[in-house]
Amino acid sequence: MNTITTEWDKCYPKNEKVNHKKVSFKNHFGIELVADYFSPKGVSGKLPAIACCGAFGAVKEQHSGLYAQEMASRGFITIAFDPSFTGESDGEPRYMNSPDINVEDFQAAVDYLSNLEEVDSEKVSIIGICGWGGMALQTACIDTRIKATVAITMYDMSRVSGCGYYDSEDSEEARYQKRVNLNNQRTIDFKNGSYKLAGGTIPLDLVKDMDVPVFVKDYSEYYRGRAYHNRSLNSNNGWNVTASSSLMNTRLFTYAGEIRNAVLLVHGEKAHSLYFGQDAFKLLKGDNKEFLLVKDATHCDLYDGGVNHDKIPFDKIEAFIKKNI
């Protein structure tokens, strides 16, 4: 087990209306996951629960914890967990990912919440942010215990890994060159006995003068600036170069049309990632599926509400989950 921090080291202020503690639980691969647990003060009885995670390469001290704490203040038992191989959770080698293991991480969080004495096991939901919005939707495809799934500013990590942004690399030749590079790196990593890191977001002093898309600068402003955390991959040196291999060889949402429980997709109208959410929503069926477009919001605005912290539609998220549990 990695060392677990006891002091408050979050990138958001503590809500004194909410109890907080660290907890841990194992997934089916035997990996110990560490989570922040939140509960509303002065409330008794069995409560509905929510597991939160994301973004891809973030840690629970960033936006998933913000969401978990806020939802706890609204009457839920919540956890925000670090995925396998990242943050305070276990798993070797570090800084790896796998769509199979990541879905299992979410399912293990549901296992944990469903067995708490203070939780109504028939009222468990999940919230995934960015790449973990896609993992949340993928988990909803398999886990019928989840009553409501909320995907915030969602990325389809399998699509962007295999096809590039806006599908600009969606060709056999482009994918072949990626495979060559990844597999050559595997050979080098094995020889060196270590994994080369891909690099996280661009440091603020460099990105400000670079000719890069606005969303790249937005990522840096969030991860390197207002929400820097020493355990966050995105704030520091990023994933292993070869970590995207399994995502390239997978396609999420094959069974999205068979999800019977409620799904809410939330995206900013100015988000570069909007097309991921729009296309995923087309796969969903039933009258308990909703898409919410947040006016004037960018991708990163839905991490922490933006500069004025007012763009996350928590009222809508609360109402949707309570309606569908």
Side-chain angles (χ1 to χ4, degrees):
M1 171 62 69
N2 295 321
T3 301
I4 299 178
T5 304
T6 55
E7 70 269 15
W8 184 267
D9 63 344
K10 320 303 181 193
C11 298
Y12 53 89
K14 190 172 186 178
N15 186 333
E16 296 302 331
K17 297 180 180 179
V18 173
N19 298 307
H20 167 263
K21 64 180 178 180
K22 289 283 183 71
V23 299
S24 65
F25 50 92
K26 286 187 176 181
N27 67 16
H28 279 188
F29 294 99
I31 299 171
E32 192 89 15
L33 304 180
V34 176
D36 283 305
Y37 169 104
F38 300 95
S39 62
K41 290 183 178 179
V43 179
S44 59
K46 288 186 175 293
L47 301 178
I50 305 172
C52 303
C53 195
F56 214 69
V59 288
K60 62 187 181 303
E61 289 76 18
Q62 294 170 318
H63 27 288
S64 63
L66 171 66
Y67 274 76
Q69 180 179 246
E70 177 64 27
M71 296 311 292
S73 75
R74 294 166 181 256
F76 296 86
I77 301 293
T78 67
I79 58 172
F81 64 90
D82 284 327
S84 297
F85 314 114
T86 67
E88 292 183 310
S89 291
D90 277 353
E92 293 289 340
R94 304 303 289 168
Y95 317 129
M96 294 295 289
N97 61 67
S98 160
D100 186 27
I101 295 176
N102 291 157
V103 166
E104 168 56 29
D105 289 343
F106 247 139
Q107 290 200 269
V110 176
D111 296 341
Y112 173 77
L113 289 172
S114 298
N115 281 279
L116 292 178
E117 183 177 344
E118 63 270 32
V119 167
D120 184 340
S121 62
E122 295 298 316
K123 296 182 178 181
V124 177
S125 303
I126 62 174
I127 295 176
I129 306 161
C130 190
W132 273 84
M135 293 303 168
L137 190 61
Q138 181 73 355
T139 306
C141 293
I142 188 67
D143 201 322
T144 56
R145 299 171 298 173
I146 298 167
K147 296 302 184 291
T149 297
V150 181
I152 306 291
T153 200
M154 192 204 86
Y155 255 59
D156 178 348
M157 293 303 303
S158 66
R159 181 175 175 181
V160 75
S161 296
C163 303
Y165 280 106
Y166 306 108
D167 301 328
S168 60
E169 300 168 355
D170 186 13
S171 70
E172 179 181 343
E173 182 60 28
R175 278 187 287 274
Y176 180 78
Q177 291 304 319
K178 286 184 182 180
R179 291 169 186 141
V180 168
N181 293 337
L182 286 169
N183 290 306
N184 287 342
Q185 187 63 50
R186 286 185 67 108
T187 303
I188 295 169
D189 288 348
F190 187 88
K191 179 180 180 180
N192 293 338
S194 62
Y195 293 86
K196 182 180 179 181
L197 298 178
T201 51
I202 303 170
L204 286 172
D205 60 337
L206 297 178
V207 77
K208 62 183 177 66
D209 297 321
M210 294 176 67
D211 183 18
V212 293
V214 172
F215 72 85
V216 173
K217 295 188 177 185
D218 287 347
Y219 279 138
S220 292
E221 288 170 2
Y222 179 82
Y223 285 108
R224 300 278 184 168
R226 64 184 188 268
Y228 175 83
H229 199 280
N230 64 332
R231 289 192 295 273
S232 170
L233 283 70
N234 293 339
S235 295
N236 295 283
N237 294 319
W239 296 98
N240 294 328
V241 170
T242 59
S244 63
S245 297
S246 57
L247 282 165
M248 275 195 65
N249 210 35
T250 302
R251 278 295 172 266
L252 303 179
F253 315 147
T254 299
Y255 299 109
E258 297 180 9
I259 299 173
R260 297 187 182 184
N261 291 328
V263 176
L264 172 65
L265 301 186
V266 181
H267 242 105
E269 68 172 357
K270 294 183 178 179
H272 68 283
S273 54
L274 177 58
Y275 72 103
F276 291 128
Q278 290 173 324
D279 286 354
F281 187 70
K282 293 173 185 176
L283 303 174
L284 303 176
K285 298 176 182 178
D287 57 7
N288 58 353
K289 315 297 191 294
E290 294 185 32
F291 192 99
L292 176 63
L293 196 63
V294 181
K295 184 177 175 58
D296 294 327
T298 66
H299 182 87
C300 289
D301 282 342
L302 297 186
Y303 284 179
D304 61 353
V307 175
N308 297 318
H309 304 288
D310 60 353
K311 291 187 177 178
I312 300 175
F314 280 121
D315 289 345
K316 172 61 180 180
I317 295 168
E318 176 190 2
F320 181 85
I321 292 176
K322 288 183 175 178
K323 173 185 176 182
N324 288 288
I325 57 175

